[in-house]
Amino acid sequence: MTEQLPARAEVADPFHDYGSLPDVAPNDPAHPLRAYVALYPEVVGAGSLRNALQTVVDRVGLALTIEPASSPGWRYVGAEVEADGRSVNVLMARSVRCYLVDCWARGVRMASGSSRDLSEVAGAMRAWSRGLRLRELVAQWPFLRTWELAEAHERGEAVPARWEMMRRSAAANAERRQGTEWRDLVEAAFDQPRLRALSPGRSMYWFTLSRRAAPPICVDLPRTRPLGNGRFEVRFSDGRVREMDGAAATVAVIVDSLPDDAVP
C-alpha cells in the first residue's frame, strides 16, 4: 500500500542517547522499541529497523547493505544507505504505521514519501542508490514525490531554477502585500550578470547569494534586506553595515564589494 507523506508525523528524538541498553526484550518497557510493538511487529521482532530492512533485501536478493541511522536517538527506528554521493534515510513514525523516506544526492533532498510496506521501501532504497533518475524513481515507486528544484539539481540547472523561483515568489509577494521593495531588489540583482551567476536565497528577511546552490552554502558574500521606505541594509562578511537608498544602488554596492573568487 502506498500513501503520501503525512502532514504531521510524530517521530523519536534524534538526539536522545540510549547508551548501553539493558539486556531486555524489545517489548519490555525499558526498550526504545516498546512504543512500536503494535504498529511494527516485524521491526520489533528483528530488533531494529536496520535489521528488518536487511532481512527484506537479503530475502529478495537486492544486494544492498543497510546501515543504522547516524542519529543516536534513531538507532533502532531509523536506517540508511549511502553510495556514490547518494543516500536514503528511513524513519518510523510513532503515531501511525508509516515509514518516512527521504532520498538525497550530494546534500540535496531530491525525493520523499511514506509507505506502510517495508518491501516497497527497500525496493525504492535500492533503486535510488543504484542511480535511477528522479522521473523514473517516482514512476516506479509512486509513494515518492519530487519537485521542481530537485529536478533542476539533477539537470545541473539549480542556479537558474532558483532565480526563477525567487522572481516568481517576489512578484507574488509584491501583488499580495502591495509593496515592491523585495521584488525590486530581486529584479535589480537578476539584471547583474555577476550576481545572476550566483545562487540566490532567502534567510528570514535577508536576500543572500552563494557560489553553490547545494550545501554547504557560502556565508562570506554580502547580504541585504529591505528596511522600508525604499531603503535597504547591506551586511558584509567583515561585519560592516551600510544603508542605501533604492534597490539599484544597493545592488551596485553588492557587485562592487564581491570578492574576485565570487564565481560559481
Side-chain angles (χ1 to χ4, degrees), residues 17-242:
D17 190 353
Y18 294 105
S20 297
L21 189 71
D23 187 16
V24 295
N27 60 356
D28 188 285
H31 199 288
L33 284 175
R34 175 65 179 84
Y36 299 85
V37 170
L39 294 174
Y40 304 92
E42 75 278 37
V43 174
V44 175
S48 71
L49 178 59
R50 180 266 168 200
N51 292 348
L53 274 168
Q54 192 67 61
T55 297
V56 170
V57 301
D58 290 347
R59 184 173 65 240
V60 297
L62 292 183
L64 190 66
T65 300
I66 311 295
E67 301 292 343
S70 55
S71 299
W74 291 346
R75 190 169 103 203
Y76 298 94
V77 299
E80 57 191 38
V81 295
E82 185 171 356
D84 299 326
R86 292 184 169 211
S87 64
V88 185
N89 59 267
V90 185
L91 183 63
M92 293 155 54
R94 296 183 66 176
S95 55
V96 63
R97 179 182 170 90
C98 181
Y99 297 103
L100 310 177
V101 181
D102 287 312
C103 301
W104 300 77
R106 307 193 189 283
V108 178
R109 191 170 64 138
M110 305 291 278
S112 68
S114 65
S115 172
R116 297 176 183 272
D117 188 336
L118 199 59
S119 297
E120 190 173 54
V121 171
M125 293 176 79
R126 181 179 184 274
W128 180 247
S129 64
R130 293 291 295 271
L132 205 65
R133 293 184 67 82
L134 281 171
R135 292 289 180 93
E136 297 171 302
L137 179 74
V138 298
Q140 184 174 340
W141 303 103
F143 76 91
L144 292 173
R145 63 180 180 85
T146 188
W147 39 86
E148 177 185 355
L149 187 55
E151 293 190 271
H153 273 281
E154 185 176 65
R155 297 192 305 269
E157 300 173 353
V159 169
R162 288 183 66 86
W163 273 111
E164 177 61 27
M165 295 170 66
M166 179 74 74
R167 295 176 73 197
R168 288 202 308 262
S169 174
N173 182 72
E175 183 175 344
R176 183 172 62 253
R177 298 189 178 185
Q178 298 182 339
T180 65
E181 287 178 327
W182 184 262
R183 183 195 64 191
D184 294 344
L185 175 64
V186 170
E187 290 299 322
F190 182 76
D191 285 342
Q192 295 292 328
R194 286 196 68 191
L195 302 188
R196 194 164 60 243
L198 300 171
S199 177
R202 183 169 185 172
S203 177
M204 297 296 288
Y205 303 106
W206 293 93
F207 175 79
T208 65
L209 294 161
S210 173
R211 299 173 184 83
R212 299 175 292 272
I217 302 301
C218 300
V219 295
D220 65 327
L221 301 184
R223 58 178 54 199
T224 184
R225 63 173 178 170
L227 297 175
N229 298 318
R231 291 187 63 77
F232 297 83
E233 178 181 312
V234 181
R235 187 175 295 272
F236 303 92
S237 60
D238 59 6
R240 290 181 299 117
V241 175
R242 286 187 63 179

